[in-house]
Amino acid sequence: MTSSPMTIVVIEDHADSLEMICEVLELRGLVAHGFSSGAAAWAAIAQSAPDVVMTDLRMGTMSGIELAKLVRNEPSLDGVALVALSGDVPELQRHQSDGLFDMLLAKPVDLVELPQRLEALRGRRAARVVDR
């Protein structure tokens, strides 16, 4: 029995980066939905509960941190893994121990390794939810 393709919501306000990340994920057989703002992504996340939400930390009206807190505070999204993206490594390091994100990725993201890292994350997040 094969599992369904992993669904990933990618939020990135740099259009070229968003397109490239989504394209790479889809070429690897994953389902990627791209959004340029946290507010637009939140509506889709709340409705569809993707496997992973990968968000840039610094965006316009809603930051990636604000979006992550919304996801973490919604019980129906308990199994959703959160990945932070930032070009600011010290900013990522500040979130290492806060438990908000399941994975922290510095930009530019290694697009060759990204699909495998996300697939591995899906299994870890599912195990974490079951262990509660």
Side-chain angles (χ1 to χ4, degrees), residues 46-130:
Q47 184 175 16
S48 68
D51 296 300
V52 176
V53 171
M54 185 169 35
T55 183
D56 187 0
L57 292 182
R58 292 186 186 164
M59 296 182 290
T61 56
M62 179 188 289
S63 74
I65 294 169
E66 292 169 315
L67 177 65
K69 288 179 180 177
L70 287 173
V71 171
R72 288 290 183 246
N73 289 324
E74 174 54 52
S76 67
L77 300 175
D78 197 37
V80 175
L82 289 171
V83 177
L85 298 171
S86 182
D88 182 345
V89 174
E91 181 179 30
L92 285 173
Q93 290 171 336
R94 285 192 293 275
H95 294 287
Q96 266 184 319
S97 61
D98 67 11
L100 189 58
F101 294 98
D102 299 293
M103 183 183 291
L104 306 168
L105 297 174
K107 293 181 190 179
V109 176
D110 183 335
L111 296 175
V112 173
E113 292 183 7
L114 182 62
Q116 298 95 317
R117 292 187 75 183
L118 294 177
E119 284 286 357
L121 180 62
R122 174 165 66 169
R124 287 199 314 266
R125 183 68 192 169
R128 181 184 299 173
V129 171
V130 171

